[in-house]
Amino acid sequence: MARVDGRLRRLGEVGGMLRDAALARLKAAAGECRRIEAEIAALDAEWRACEAETDPAARAVMGQSRGRRYLQRRAALNGALARARSEEALRLREAARAFGRDEALHRLIRGAAES
């Protein structure tokens, strides 16, 4: 019986490590989403500052190139954010599954300890 308990205990430790690894991957994916969102916010703030330009000559010369650059960069960032959010959702499902498995293992261990 002690041999089975040792195996269960080790299995519980492995379950905890897998849970922690899944949580670390989720944290990294969420961090990437927040980084891209911050980059989009900075780009939008830069665009608003350009739009506030009062000199008509500067607006005429730089307007089209700034607008084109803004739209291209915003489209690229939107695509990156969509991919990052998809990755975050995948990692969230993986973490939930790992937490469930870990909880099931701990219930099994507690049940074996009580018998």
Side-chain angles (χ1 to χ4, degrees):
M1 191 68 165
R3 185 169 174 220
V4 173
D5 288 336
R7 286 185 193 173
L8 280 176
R9 218 177 347 270
R10 284 193 301 274
L11 190 57
E13 290 171 1
V14 169
M17 286 186 280
L18 291 173
R19 179 201 62 217
D20 293 345
L23 189 59
R25 287 189 298 271
L26 174 60
K27 185 178 179 182
E32 180 65 7
C33 286
R34 301 306 81 80
R35 184 193 68 75
I36 295 170
E37 288 167 351
E39 201 170 334
I40 288 172
L43 182 67
D44 288 345
E46 180 184 321
W47 177 250
R48 284 189 300 276
C50 289
E51 285 293 299
E53 178 70 47
T54 57
D55 183 14
R59 286 186 74 160
V61 171
M62 300 299 287
Q64 288 183 344
S65 63
R66 282 181 181 169
R68 195 170 26 257
R69 179 194 167 277
Y70 169 77
L71 292 174
Q72 288 172 346
R73 184 68 182 138
R74 188 69 153 88
L77 287 173
N78 284 342
L81 183 59
R83 287 185 296 278
R85 285 187 176 158
S86 174
E87 180 74 15
E88 182 182 27
L90 174 67
R91 297 303 176 195
L92 181 61
R93 285 191 301 274
E94 287 177 356
R97 192 175 309 118
F99 270 88
R101 286 179 183 153
D102 188 51
E103 179 60 28
L105 282 171
H106 284 294
R107 286 182 188 168
L108 182 64
I109 292 168
R110 283 192 301 268
E114 291 173 359
S115 61

